[in-house]
Amino acid sequence: MTTHLTAPSLVALFLLVTLWNQTSADHSEVKLSNSGICHDSSSRSYNRTKNFTPFQSLEDCLDAGGRLPKGQVIERKSSSSALNEYRREHFGSGWADTDSDCQNSRHEALIAQSTGQVTFKDHRECIIRTGRWISMYSGKLIHDATVIDIDHVVPLKWAWDHGANEWTRERRIEFANDPVNLLAVEASLNRQKGAKGPGEWQPPTNQCQYLSRFRRIAIKYDLAPNLVPPC
């Protein structure tokens, strides 16, 4: 006997599949909350976090300036070969607040690079809300801090692959928060760049300025400056 689905049954099946796919997708993304905390699906606050910026991985969220929920740690791989693999945590758990003034290095970079007065999220003046930034990567004027990523000019993974794997943890944290290596740019271009070196990616504008800065940082930290293309 052949069973034929009625139109209402087909509609119900379609809605069920759509809902299942949406639920699966929602739980695969990492949520950066307005308070700057990265919640993956294992976080107790994951489902309660409604206002957030989505990321594909926990490391991407930490790279963008987020921090782990209190008491949560990144699971470490047990194999000895994993010790030489890049992980964001090798450079610290997100942005550091080295002077304990509640402004981590992301927000200090936003303040330093704003060409106008910044405003804060609240009276504590820890989190920047607005300012006036001109992206070196595009020349565009940006006022909303939530659409800005702080880019590591020399990406952390690129640094790891070119010598930072032999550094102490303290030196890697210093590198990850060095203002010379931090640029306020639009999130879209920072994520397009990813961990690519200057031979694979350069910004749409100001390429010579970008290459000069990349080379200066590579020389400072002895990270294969000979691999930086000439301008």
Side-chain angles (χ1 to χ4, degrees):
M1 179 182 295
T2 302
T3 302
H4 296 283
L5 293 175
T6 63
S9 298
L10 288 172
V11 171
L13 180 61
F14 173 78
L15 292 175
L16 181 62
V17 171
T18 301
L19 179 61
W20 184 87
N21 287 335
Q22 181 64 45
T23 301
S24 299
D26 287 346
H27 282 78
S28 66
E29 68 185 0
V30 174
K31 301 177 179 180
L32 175 61
S33 70
N34 290 341
S35 58
I37 300 176
C38 297
H39 297 287
D40 63 8
S41 57
S42 67
S43 169
R44 289 180 295 179
S45 300
Y46 186 87
N47 291 328
R48 296 200 303 268
T49 304
K50 304 301 182 183
N51 298 315
F52 61 90
T53 302
F55 288 89
Q56 293 183 342
S57 71
L58 197 56
E59 288 191 346
D60 288 342
C61 186
L62 293 173
D63 277 338
R67 66 185 187 276
L68 293 174
K70 186 176 181 180
Q72 181 175 333
V73 296
I74 298 177
E75 182 179 354
R76 294 179 180 270
K77 299 179 181 179
S78 58
S79 64
S80 58
S81 62
L83 295 176
N84 290 323
E85 295 179 1
Y86 166 78
R87 295 196 300 272
R88 175 61 177 85
E89 63 181 294
H90 286 315
F91 293 81
S93 299
W95 302 111
D97 180 10
T98 56
D99 54 7
S100 301
D101 65 350
C102 92
Q103 294 170 359
N104 63 30
S105 51
R106 166 185 165 83
H107 294 287
E108 289 182 344
L110 288 172
I111 293 171
Q113 295 176 32
S114 177
T115 60
Q117 184 68 36
V118 300
T119 64
F120 296 91
K121 182 179 178 181
D122 56 40
H123 69 280
R124 293 177 298 170
E125 299 190 350
C126 299
I127 299 176
I128 308 302
R129 187 178 65 181
T130 64
R132 187 181 189 275
W133 299 277
I134 301 174
S135 170
M136 192 184 85
Y137 290 175
S138 67
K140 293 181 179 178
L141 179 63
I142 305 172
H143 292 284
D144 182 0
T146 64
V147 301
I148 287 179
D149 275 0
I150 300 299
D151 179 43
H152 289 101
V153 178
V154 177
L156 302 185
K157 185 179 186 303
W158 194 93
W160 176 267
D161 292 338
H162 293 86
N165 61 316
E166 299 180 356
W167 295 350
T168 63
R169 176 177 171 81
E170 289 72 22
R171 182 161 175 78
R172 287 195 290 265
I173 292 175
E174 174 192 347
F175 173 78
N177 295 277
D178 186 345
V180 175
N181 195 31
L182 306 180
L183 275 181
V185 298
E186 50 268 86
S188 57
L189 287 178
N190 181 42
R191 295 169 198 181
Q192 179 191 98
K193 171 185 172 180
K196 300 181 184 73
E200 303 172 278
W201 186 90
Q202 294 175 27
T205 61
N206 299 315
Q207 290 91 351
C208 281
Q209 187 178 352
Y210 175 75
L211 291 173
S212 296
R213 187 159 180 166
F214 198 109
R215 184 179 295 106
R216 186 166 73 252
I217 298 164
I219 291 172
K220 176 180 179 180
Y221 287 94
D222 194 20
L223 292 170
N226 60 302
L227 296 180
V228 182
C231 178

